[in-house]
Amino acid sequence: MHLPLWHRAAVLVALMLAAFTLNTAENLPIGLLELISESLRVPVSAVGLLVTGYGVTVAVASLPLAYVMRAVPRRHALTGLLAALVVSSLVAAVATSYWVLLFARLLTALAQALFWAVMGPVAVGLFTPEVRGRVVGALSVAGSLALVLGIPAGTWLGQQSDWQVPIAMLAALGLVSLVTIAVLLPTSRPEEENAAYGTSPDARRFGIVLAAGALSAAGAFAGYTYIVKFLGDVSGFSASAVSALFVAFGVACLVGVSITGALLDRFPQAALTTAVATQAVGMLGLYAVGTEPVAAVVFLALMGSALGPVFMTTQNAMLHCAPGRTDIALAANSGSYNAGIAAGAALGGLALPLAGVRGTFLVGGLLTVGACAVLLGGRLLRVSGAESAGWNGRHWTASAASRPLRKTTRKRDCAADTTAESIRENAGRSVSG
């Protein structure tokens, strides 16, 4: 897209604001659990389903929605899903029954499911391929700010007024993104966009990244779902200290995303492996020495610094290795990651009565180690495949270089035999004639 820099930057900022708004909307009920429960006269567990149902909807709907909308111009798709965000937030803000609120939440979840599929190709397609990693990093920073700023601010605002007020604010933020994108983003066919297809299509790499991302998500949320109980019961922190540690966790996530985003263009594959390995160290460290408060803070920060970068680096990988359209690949990645979150929370719930809250971090750490093994196995397969083809990492080996020569020589020998045979046949005809 040949647009002025300010034009492209404005669209990117609008997409960042939308990412922040949707990520805040996804988890805001966590901070408003008791307020919503008392207002609608439903159990706290029912309010918790507003978050669980949201995640399951994103996981299930991402790929089908991306496929159905694959031919729709991205300007129309983005304005449509942002309109759904605005309307669903307004409906939620005026809801007087639990079921109306649940319906509004599921509509927001459908908007988010499609957003993560189409937002990436649009954003990176505005800029040159050399800075795509930094664009992905900027979008991830915006999404991570929801954890550090959006949810705490929304929780505080709800406590000071009413739970409907912060949800109505989400509608206002969504409207700003909607108007900006509707005015500034050109209309184009999806398959003609700069980032419509992967730069280095690789079906095997695509499968490896999907598996590693899902395992990492399952590992993270097997433990993170019960982090409050862990910090209180195992590490011995007070309730006020746990709240402060949640903020520190969010800051660590933001720092990790910022650093990784700056390096993503130079080290795309190493960034993913490093993020997954850091998460494994953080979770296993919490299991091993989480009874010591200082050690618990250190390993909690390590885990936080990896949680955001894992998803960001898998999304960036999809833009490179997608075997077909990048929007379909991104939808598959978002769906598998959210499925991993749901599976991890369920596995943690199974481990809790059997091994205690420390056991949930052991399960999560081992699942993350499994993600590391998947990435390492994929790298070994790629290296062994290259070596079998005669590439030693720097140049072709002599045996590989000679193979085309032998093939060419055989072709030449066959051609010479054919020519000689033709001469003999022509000579025979001349004699008989």
Side-chain angles (χ1 to χ4, degrees), residues 40 42 49-50 95-106:
L40 300 182
V42 294
L49 286 175
L50 297 175
T96 56
S97 75
Y98 174 79
W99 296 108
V100 172
L101 180 58
L102 179 61
F103 169 78
R105 290 280 299 169
L106 295 182

Side-chain angles (χ1 to χ4, degrees), residues 69-95:
M69 301 291 288
R70 68 190 184 282
V72 177
R74 293 311 176 214
R75 177 172 169 269
H76 298 163
L78 283 169
T79 52
L81 69 88
L82 288 171
L85 167 64
V86 172
V87 171
S88 62
S89 297
L90 290 175
V91 170
V94 299

Side-chain angles (χ1 to χ4, degrees), residues 12 15-16 19 23 115-116 119-144 195 254 256-265 268 271 308-320 326 330 333:
L12 178 60
L15 291 171
M16 292 171 64
N23 277 15
F115 176 77
W116 288 112
M119 171 269 293
V122 169
V124 300
L126 293 168
F127 300 89
T128 61
E130 292 76 17
V131 298
R132 284 183 175 180
R134 275 166 279 182
V135 173
V136 173
L139 293 167
S140 297
V141 166
S144 299
L254 183 61
V257 166
S258 301
I259 294 174
T260 305
L263 300 174
L264 200 52
D265 288 309
V310 169
F311 182 67
M312 177 180 70
T313 51
T314 58
Q315 290 287 86
N316 183 67
M318 292 295 111
L319 295 170
H320 294 283
T326 52
L330 289 167
N333 187 56

Side-chain angles (χ1 to χ4, degrees), residues 231 237-246:
L231 293 174
F237 290 106
S238 64
S240 59
V242 169
S243 298
L245 287 174
F246 256 110

